[in-house]
CSV table of all heavy atoms in Angstrom, one decimal:
chain,number,residue,atom,x,y,z
A,113,ALA,N,109.2,73.2,81.9
A,113,ALA,CA,110.5,73.3,81.1
A,113,ALA,C,110.5,74.4,80.1
A,113,ALA,O,110.9,74.2,79.0
A,113,ALA,CB,110.9,72.0,80.5
A,114,THR,N,109.9,75.6,80.5
A,114,THR,CA,109.9,76.7,79.6
A,114,THR,C,110.6,77.9,80.3
A,114,THR,O,111.1,77.7,81.4
A,114,THR,CB,108.4,77.2,79.3
A,114,THR,OG1,107.8,77.5,80.6
A,114,THR,CG2,107.6,76.1,78.6
A,115,SER,N,110.8,79.0,79.6
A,115,SER,CA,111.5,80.1,80.2
A,115,SER,C,110.6,81.1,80.9
A,115,SER,O,109.5,81.3,80.4
A,115,SER,CB,112.2,80.8,79.0
A,115,SER,OG,112.8,82.0,79.5
A,116,ALA,N,111.1,81.6,82.0
A,116,ALA,CA,110.3,82.6,82.7
A,116,ALA,C,111.1,84.0,82.6
A,116,ALA,O,111.2,84.7,83.6
A,116,ALA,CB,110.1,82.2,84.2
A,117,ALA,N,111.6,84.2,81.5
A,117,ALA,CA,112.5,85.4,81.3
A,117,ALA,C,111.7,86.7,81.5
A,117,ALA,O,112.3,87.7,82.0
A,117,ALA,CB,113.1,85.4,79.9
A,118,ASN,N,110.5,86.8,81.1
A,118,ASN,CA,109.8,88.0,81.2
A,118,ASN,C,108.6,87.9,82.2
A,118,ASN,O,107.5,88.4,82.0
A,118,ASN,CB,109.2,88.5,79.9
A,118,ASN,CG,108.4,87.5,79.1
A,118,ASN,OD1,108.4,86.3,79.6
A,118,ASN,ND2,107.8,87.8,78.0
A,119,ALA,N,108.9,87.2,83.3
A,119,ALA,CA,107.8,86.9,84.3
A,119,ALA,C,107.4,88.3,85.0
A,119,ALA,O,106.3,88.5,85.3
A,119,ALA,CB,108.3,85.9,85.4
A,120,GLU,N,108.4,89.1,85.2
A,120,GLU,CA,108.1,90.4,85.9
A,120,GLU,C,107.2,91.2,85.0
A,120,GLU,O,106.2,91.8,85.5
A,120,GLU,CB,109.4,91.2,86.2
A,120,GLU,CG,109.2,92.5,86.9
A,120,GLU,CD,110.5,93.1,87.2
A,120,GLU,OE1,111.1,93.7,86.3
A,120,GLU,OE2,110.8,93.1,88.4
A,121,ALA,N,107.4,91.3,83.7
A,121,ALA,CA,106.6,92.1,82.8
A,121,ALA,C,105.2,91.5,82.7
A,121,ALA,O,104.2,92.2,82.7
A,121,ALA,CB,107.2,92.2,81.5
A,122,ASP,N,105.1,90.2,82.6
A,122,ASP,CA,103.8,89.5,82.5
A,122,ASP,C,103.0,89.7,83.8
A,122,ASP,O,101.8,90.0,83.7
A,122,ASP,CB,104.0,88.0,82.3
A,122,ASP,CG,104.6,87.7,80.9
A,122,ASP,OD1,104.6,88.6,80.0
A,122,ASP,OD2,105.2,86.6,80.8
A,123,CYS,N,103.7,89.6,84.9
A,123,CYS,CA,102.9,89.8,86.2
A,123,CYS,C,102.5,91.2,86.4
A,123,CYS,O,101.4,91.5,86.9
A,123,CYS,CB,103.8,89.3,87.4
A,123,CYS,SG,103.9,87.5,87.5
A,124,ALA,N,103.4,92.1,86.0
A,124,ALA,CA,103.0,93.6,86.1
A,124,ALA,C,101.8,93.9,85.3
A,124,ALA,O,100.9,94.6,85.7
A,124,ALA,CB,104.2,94.4,85.7
A,125,ALA,N,101.7,93.3,84.1
A,125,ALA,CA,100.6,93.5,83.2
A,125,ALA,C,99.3,92.8,83.8
A,125,ALA,O,98.2,93.4,83.7
A,125,ALA,CB,100.8,93.0,81.8
A,126,LYS,N,99.5,91.6,84.3
A,126,LYS,CA,98.3,90.9,84.9
A,126,LYS,C,97.8,91.6,86.1
A,126,LYS,O,96.6,91.7,86.3
A,126,LYS,CB,98.8,89.5,85.3
A,126,LYS,CG,97.6,88.7,85.8
A,126,LYS,CD,97.9,87.2,85.9
A,126,LYS,CE,99.2,86.8,86.5
A,126,LYS,NZ,99.3,85.3,86.8
A,127,LEU,N,98.7,92.2,87.0
A,127,LEU,CA,98.2,92.9,88.2
A,127,LEU,C,98.0,94.4,88.0
A,127,LEU,O,97.6,95.1,88.9
A,127,LEU,CB,99.3,92.7,89.3
A,127,LEU,CG,99.5,91.3,89.7
A,127,LEU,CD1,100.7,91.2,90.6
A,127,LEU,CD2,98.3,90.7,90.4
A,128,ASN,N,98.1,94.9,86.7
A,128,ASN,CA,97.9,96.3,86.4
A,128,ASN,C,98.8,97.2,87.1
A,128,ASN,O,98.4,98.2,87.7
A,128,ASN,CB,96.4,96.6,86.6
A,128,ASN,CG,95.9,97.8,85.8
A,128,ASN,OD1,96.5,98.1,84.8
A,128,ASN,ND2,94.9,98.4,86.2
Side-chain angles (χ1 to χ4, degrees):
T114 60
S115 175
N118 55 353
E120 184 177 72
D122 292 342
C123 287
K126 182 168 42 170
L127 296 171
N128 204 20

